[in-house]
Amino acid sequence: MNFLKALFGGSDENPAEEKKSDEKKKFEMLKYDGVKAMRLGKFDIAERFFLEALKLQEDYEVRDYLSNTYIRLDRMDESLQQMEILAQAQPDNANILMQMAHVAYMQESYDKMKEYCGRAESVEPQNTRVQFLFAQALIGKHDLIGGVARLTKAIALDDNNGDARLLRGQTLYRMGDIAAAVEDVRWLMEHVQPQEDVYLLAARVMHLGKNDEMALKLYEAVTQINPFCIDAFRERGKIRFDKGDKKGAEEDMKKVLELNPEELAGINGDYKAEGIEEQVKRAYSMMNPFGI
């Protein structure tokens, strides 16, 4: 019988097994094509490939790809839905929960973020990133004291956590606790490469600490790193204005208007109808660029 099947093209393969084999090959092809589409930046096409692949076979790697695809498509809720499936399948995987918290942060959904951080903390209570994300959620909810407490714990768990030190310094600055903020600024200036956010925080802290000469130098460093930083020009201009440096304040105001012509319209009305000197005087006498 086997000889006759071989002679006339018959097969011993079970039709059900043959179908399963074909579906597996199709699944692998769809998965590969989806990844390829992602790499080419064609995320709408990648989504279709991944969804078709999941119709054939449950696969957590595909769901991970799909969740990242939804992030690129700015469809955060759908991304979270995919990650929730992964989290349910792997309840001890804190990395998934931290990624969910990060997506919620991008949505500014701080209640969701707190939930995900709480779940992650129950898995890895000594994880410095979990504490940092928890702090971001609390600060987003305007609980600055709670945020600082979480950041302090994150730093205790990892003394080299520069992100936590920067956010703590920024939060302490918002709270007006300059003495405490100085400690984080000092550490950051000694341990991290020059970067805009660090120098900007340092300049603000120096200004509130009545060291305007150092603040002006730091603002200059910010503008060297990022010549499009409106905050640096606005805040430096305010210091120059208060110190009587009319020319310097005018230069910074011109830069602010160049980078964002509409920013001062609400303060100045029709700013084009008056000279820059009057714009500077009116703007800086009415604004508080430091936000405290």
Side-chain angles (χ1 to χ4, degrees):
M1 184 65 177
N2 289 339
F3 171 76
L4 291 175
K5 284 185 178 180
L7 183 63
F8 294 106
S11 173
D12 285 331
E13 189 169 3
N14 187 298
E17 292 180 355
E18 186 176 352
K19 180 182 178 182
K20 186 176 181 180
S21 177
D22 288 344
E23 286 183 350
K24 184 176 181 180
K25 290 177 183 177
K26 186 178 180 181
F27 168 82
E28 293 295 340
M29 182 71 71
L30 289 166
K31 181 177 179 179
Y32 171 81
D33 287 341
V35 173
K36 184 177 179 181
M38 282 184 73
R39 290 173 178 167
L40 292 173
K42 300 181 182 297
F43 298 105
D44 54 339
I45 296 174
E47 177 198 8
R48 293 202 293 270
F49 281 129
F50 292 140
L51 289 174
E52 288 300 316
L54 288 170
K55 289 179 182 178
L56 296 173
Q57 179 180 321
E58 177 59 52
D59 186 271
Y60 295 140
E61 188 176 18
V62 170
R63 290 200 181 277
D64 185 45
Y65 287 139
L66 184 57
S67 72
N68 283 289
T69 297
Y70 283 137
I71 291 173
R72 295 303 189 94
L73 291 170
D74 196 25
R75 291 158 60 183
M76 302 301 181
D77 284 337
E78 289 167 276
S79 176
L80 287 171
Q81 288 171 8
Q82 294 301 318
M83 283 189 274
E84 185 63 61
I85 293 171
L86 296 174
Q88 293 295 331
Q90 304 175 52
D92 294 331
N93 190 332
N95 288 325
I96 296 172
L97 294 163
M98 285 188 283
Q99 177 65 3
M100 293 171 75
H102 179 66
V103 171
Y105 179 72
M106 290 191 286
Q107 289 184 301
E108 298 183 5
S109 298
Y110 301 116
D111 286 327
K112 281 185 186 177
M113 193 178 181
K114 284 175 62 179
E115 177 199 339
Y116 300 141
C117 287
R119 289 163 62 184
E121 185 177 38
S122 69
V123 177
E124 294 188 16
Q126 303 302 309
N127 188 308
T128 185
R129 178 157 173 76
V130 170
Q131 298 303 320
F132 176 79
L133 290 165
F134 223 137
Q136 286 185 310
L138 293 172
I139 292 167
K141 295 283 291 180
H142 308 292
D143 180 3
L144 303 188
I145 295 174
V148 167
R150 288 284 180 175
L151 291 167
T152 300
K153 185 173 181 179
I155 293 164
L157 292 168
D158 177 9
D159 190 56
N160 292 315
N161 191 331
D163 289 337
R165 287 188 181 273
L166 176 59
L167 184 55
R168 187 173 70 174
Q170 291 169 332
T171 306
L172 289 167
Y173 166 80
R174 287 176 60 187
M175 295 168 65
D177 190 348
I178 304 306
V182 164
E183 296 303 314
D184 283 323
V185 167
R186 184 177 291 118
W187 187 95
L188 290 164
M189 296 291 284
E190 291 176 357
H191 291 86
V192 304
Q193 293 295 318
Q195 56 179 272
E196 176 185 347
D197 289 341
V198 171
Y199 277 33
L200 190 59
L201 173 62
R204 290 167 171 169
V205 168
M206 289 299 105
H207 168 61
L208 290 187
K210 309 302 182 184
N211 190 344
D212 282 342
E213 293 305 316
M214 179 58 71
L216 290 171
K217 291 178 182 178
L218 288 163
Y219 279 121
E220 178 63 25
V222 174
T223 62
Q224 292 297 315
I225 295 171
N226 178 11
F228 304 101
C229 182
I230 294 176
D231 286 342
F233 291 110
R234 185 195 306 110
E235 293 169 21
R236 185 176 67 179
K238 172 63 172 172
I239 294 174
R240 286 174 163 177
F241 177 79
D242 289 342
K243 290 174 70 67
D245 180 3
K246 183 174 69 174
K247 182 179 178 182
E250 287 180 3
E251 289 174 355
D252 283 334
M253 181 60 68
K254 285 179 181 178
K255 196 66 179 178
V256 170
L257 289 169
E258 176 187 323
L259 294 171
N260 186 8
E262 302 299 322
E263 178 166 333
L264 300 178
I267 295 174
N268 289 348
D270 183 7
Y271 51 79
K272 295 180 181 178
E274 57 188 13
I276 187 66
E277 182 176 348
E278 184 60 29
Q279 292 175 36
V280 171
K281 181 178 179 181
R282 183 181 300 183
Y284 284 128
S285 63
M286 297 178 67
M287 69 162 51
N288 173 22
F290 299 98
I292 288 186

